[in-house]
Amino acid sequence: RKEVADSLTENQKNVARREAFFAENSGRKGSIEDCAWQLCEHPFVIGGGSIQYGRDGEEFIKGDVAKIFREKMRGVKWDGSLRFGLPPYAPTRDTTDWIAIARRGSTEFDDRLRNLMEELNL
């Protein structure tokens, strides 16, 4: 699992992170945890992240796990582990292949946005 995650570029990982972020916020509970597990990172990297909109589309800004623990947990220091402060990982029933999404390099949303921009001649 780690070798596969390490073989992805940061841009590819950001595609998966962004898609999981949107999925979770659209009601698909467990998307962030599943994606983080597949990418071998702490869920706060995604859940504590944000989407920045700009001229070139969307950019995913990773959450700063150490800062989240320091500020929200009153000085607790993150030890760098993937599940620090969380119960053991339990996959959801409908696990998405976030690695495949990352490798594809774009999401359905990206494709729809690109088509809309072309239609509007932007």
Side-chain angles (χ1 to χ4, degrees):
R1 186 172 59 92
K2 181 138 176 56
E3 289 174 7
V4 174
D6 287 345
S7 73
L8 298 171
T9 67
E10 196 62 22
N11 286 338
Q12 288 175 315
K13 289 179 183 180
N14 280 339
V15 168
R17 290 173 183 134
R18 186 178 69 221
E19 195 70 6
F21 186 88
F22 283 136
E24 186 85 22
N25 289 303
S26 296
R28 284 185 40 212
K29 299 297 176 204
S31 296
I32 287 175
E33 263 198 78
D34 288 342
C35 183
W37 181 257
Q38 291 178 34
L39 295 179
C40 298
E41 58 192 19
H42 196 284
F44 286 177
V45 169
I46 302 170
S50 61
I51 306 291
Q52 204 171 54
Y53 297 93
R55 249 186 118 152
D56 297 328
E58 301 166 343
E59 180 183 353
F60 185 82
I61 308 300
K62 295 189 309 184
D64 183 337
V65 180
K67 182 178 177 185
I68 292 168
F69 275 107
R70 202 170 43 251
E71 292 177 356
K72 304 290 183 196
M73 308 296 231
R74 297 195 172 110
V76 171
K77 291 188 180 187
W78 177 43
D79 68 1
S81 66
L82 299 180
R83 298 297 301 170
F84 182 80
L86 301 172
Y89 171 70
T92 59
R93 281 187 240 156
D94 180 33
T95 302
T96 300
D97 187 349
W98 298 107
I99 300 293
I101 288 171
R103 284 186 175 144
R104 191 173 68 221
S106 66
T107 64
E108 290 177 27
F109 179 81
D110 292 330
D111 298 338
R112 287 192 308 262
L113 181 61
R114 195 173 305 111
N115 291 339
L116 178 61
M117 299 284 277
E118 286 173 6
E119 285 178 29
L120 297 173
N121 296 319
L122 296 175

